């Protein structure tokens, strides 16, 4: 029985090694489709991928998968490993299990929407991690739902940190980040006098102007341009909190419509958290690195490093 057990353990190990190499090969094929890597350059990239993955206790295959997503998004070969390492770091510190590709897609969406350069990309995961650590939201609440309205929010002049702040404020009350994110998209468009398709609606423009005049708030900057969503809601929040029930209903329905009024109310009632979460996101430098170091020093981190070594041996 002992001899048989050892024999089949050896056979199964060889099968596992073949599977590891097959998965790596599949990942490299996908990478080659979107880059010019081949031959010696591909071998060097693979080794560099293992070295980078080791720093975050991940496998070379996962690094190649993350790098491929960044390559598809147009980042060059000098950037994709650096960005891939950050994406894998996020998989370590996220509150819920997330794949390398999903992590990369989240980062790409924010980099494109808010014009964040590759060298500053670590701030994306720093901000999410620090806010999730200090407020009643998870990193999944933030990361999985920012992309639903980030393009609209960015076009309206909101910063990445301000969007996190608004999403956090609403989610703490409603416990539904997805609906809050959709609500922010609707609110942002309506504040600009646009319908859900992003087209100017003159009737809506008149409604918004009437609301602003009635409440006595200015929604324009000194240069005549419209304030962003965050600043308008910041001016509106103290007025809303002192309003009567009927006035509150009028305000939320005007700025958000019937279906998103609840999300508007949650954000306005909890706007102090929006301010605090925005500040936390702005001052989050080092948060991801610190948390990742704790993961690497854990039993889970040690097992991940062993898995990476096993894959490299298989290769």
């Amino acid at each position: 029985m002992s001899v048989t057990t050892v024999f089949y353990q050896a056979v199964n190990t060889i099968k596992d090694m073949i599977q590891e190499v097959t998965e790596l090969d599949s990942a490299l094929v996908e990478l080659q489709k979107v880059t010019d890597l081949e031959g010696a350059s591909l071998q060097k990239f693979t080794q560099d991928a293992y070295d980078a993955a080791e720093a975050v206790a991940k496998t070379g295959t996962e690094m190649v998968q993350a790098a491929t997503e960044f390559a598809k998004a147009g980042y060059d070969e000098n950037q994709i490993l650096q960005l891939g390492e950050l994406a894998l770091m996020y998989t370590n510190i996220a509150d819920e299990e997330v794949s390398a590709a999903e992590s990369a897609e989240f980062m790409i969406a924010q980099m494109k929407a808010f014009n964040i350069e590759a060298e500053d990309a670590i701030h994306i995961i720093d901000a999410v991690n620090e806010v999730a650590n200090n407020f009643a939201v998870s990193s999944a609440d933030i990361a999985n739902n920012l992309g639903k309205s980030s393009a609209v929010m960015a076009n309206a002049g909101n910063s990445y940190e301000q969007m996190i702040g608004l999403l956090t404020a609403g989610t703490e009350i409603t416990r539904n980040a997805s609906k809050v994110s959709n609500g922010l998209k609707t609110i942002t468009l309506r504040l600009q006098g646009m319908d859900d398709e992003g087209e100017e609606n003159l009737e809506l423009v008149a409604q918004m102007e009437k609301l602003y005049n009635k409440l006595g708030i200015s929604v324009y900057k000194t240069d005549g341009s419209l304030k962003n969503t965050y600043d308008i809601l910041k001016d509106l929040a103290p007025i809303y909190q002192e309003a009567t029930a009927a006035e509150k209903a009028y305000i939320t329905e005007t700025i958000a419509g019937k279906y998103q009024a609840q999300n508007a109310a949650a954000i306005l009632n909890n706007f102090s958290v929006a301010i605090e979460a925005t500040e936390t996101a702005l001052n989050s430098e080092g948060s991801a690195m610190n948390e990742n170091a704790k993961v690497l020093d854990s039993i889970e981190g040690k097992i991940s490093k062993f898995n990476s070594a096993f894959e490299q041996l298989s290769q």
Side-chain angles (χ1 to χ4, degrees):
M1 288 178 63
S2 298
V3 170
T4 302
T5 300
V6 171
F7 175 77
Y8 280 106
Q9 182 64 52
V11 170
N12 289 334
T13 300
I14 293 172
K15 288 181 179 179
D16 289 343
M17 296 178 85
I18 293 172
Q19 181 64 30
E20 294 285 355
V21 175
T22 301
E23 290 177 359
L24 173 63
D25 181 69
S26 297
L28 289 172
V29 169
E30 292 301 314
L31 178 66
Q32 285 183 288
K33 291 178 182 178
V34 293
T35 66
D36 297 326
L37 292 169
E38 60 181 9
S41 64
L42 182 61
Q43 289 182 350
K44 182 180 183 304
F45 181 89
T46 303
Q47 186 56 54
D48 290 342
Y50 274 109
D51 293 340
E54 186 177 353
V56 288
K58 293 295 181 180
T59 65
T61 299
E62 290 174 307
M63 178 60 74
V64 172
Q65 290 170 340
T68 299
E69 294 301 320
F70 288 108
K72 289 178 182 177
Y75 296 97
D76 62 44
E77 294 169 14
N78 296 321
Q79 297 174 316
I80 58 178
L81 276 181
Q82 171 201 347
L83 293 170
E85 185 175 341
L86 294 178
L88 292 183
M89 185 186 298
Y90 179 70
T91 67
N92 281 341
I93 64 178
D95 296 330
E96 297 181 4
E97 186 174 348
V98 58
S99 70
E102 290 169 339
S103 179
E105 289 169 1
F106 155 63
M107 291 182 60
I108 290 166
Q110 307 320 309
M111 292 170 73
K112 296 291 187 181
F114 295 99
N115 296 318
I116 299 173
E117 299 296 331
E119 55 267 27
D120 301 320
I122 192 171
H123 178 63
I124 295 173
I125 58 176
D126 274 337
V128 170
N129 185 66
E130 191 67 10
V131 170
N133 286 346
N134 289 279
F135 296 88
V137 292
S138 68
S139 60
D141 285 334
I142 301 172
N144 293 346
N145 295 290
L146 281 178
K148 295 178 180 178
S149 55
S150 57
V152 170
M153 294 288 285
N155 287 339
N158 298 281
S159 69
Y160 174 63
E161 297 83 6
Q162 288 173 335
M163 184 174 177
I164 290 177
L166 292 172
L167 183 61
T168 300
T171 303
E172 279 201 342
I173 301 297
T174 67
R175 311 310 304 157
N176 192 323
S178 177
K179 289 186 177 180
V180 172
S181 184
N182 288 328
L184 281 170
K185 179 180 177 181
T186 299
I187 292 168
T188 298
L189 289 172
R190 288 179 70 90
L191 288 175
Q192 298 176 91
M194 297 181 183
D195 59 26
D196 290 340
E197 303 302 321
E199 300 292 334
E200 186 176 26
N201 184 316
L202 296 180
E203 182 179 346
L204 187 55
V205 170
Q207 289 179 15
M208 299 310 300
E209 289 289 349
K210 181 180 178 181
L211 174 69
Y212 300 147
N213 292 333
K214 184 174 182 178
L215 299 179
I217 63 173
S218 173
V219 295
Y220 296 99
K221 301 177 184 177
T222 54
D223 62 2
S225 61
L226 188 69
K227 292 179 181 178
N228 64 23
T229 314
Y230 180 90
D231 288 334
I232 293 176
L233 294 181
K234 184 178 180 180
D235 292 340
L236 189 56
I239 299 172
Y240 177 82
Q241 291 166 11
E242 296 297 323
T244 64
E247 290 170 336
K248 286 181 178 180
Y250 167 67
I251 291 170
T252 54
E253 189 168 328
T254 302
I255 69 171
K258 292 181 179 179
Y259 298 111
Q260 299 296 346
Q262 180 184 8
N263 293 311
I267 294 169
L268 290 171
N269 277 323
N270 203 30
F271 206 84
S272 61
V273 166
I275 296 172
E276 293 170 12
T278 300
E279 289 297 320
T280 299
L282 282 167
N283 300 300
S284 59
E285 184 177 356
S287 177
M289 283 283 194
N290 292 337
E291 188 150 331
N292 187 63
K294 297 173 185 176
V295 173
L296 296 184
D297 198 40
S298 67
I299 292 176
E300 182 181 356
K302 304 296 184 185
I303 292 173
S304 295
K305 285 185 177 180
F306 176 80
N307 290 337
S308 178
F310 178 75
E311 185 185 276
Q312 196 164 6
L313 174 64
S314 302
Q315 185 209 357

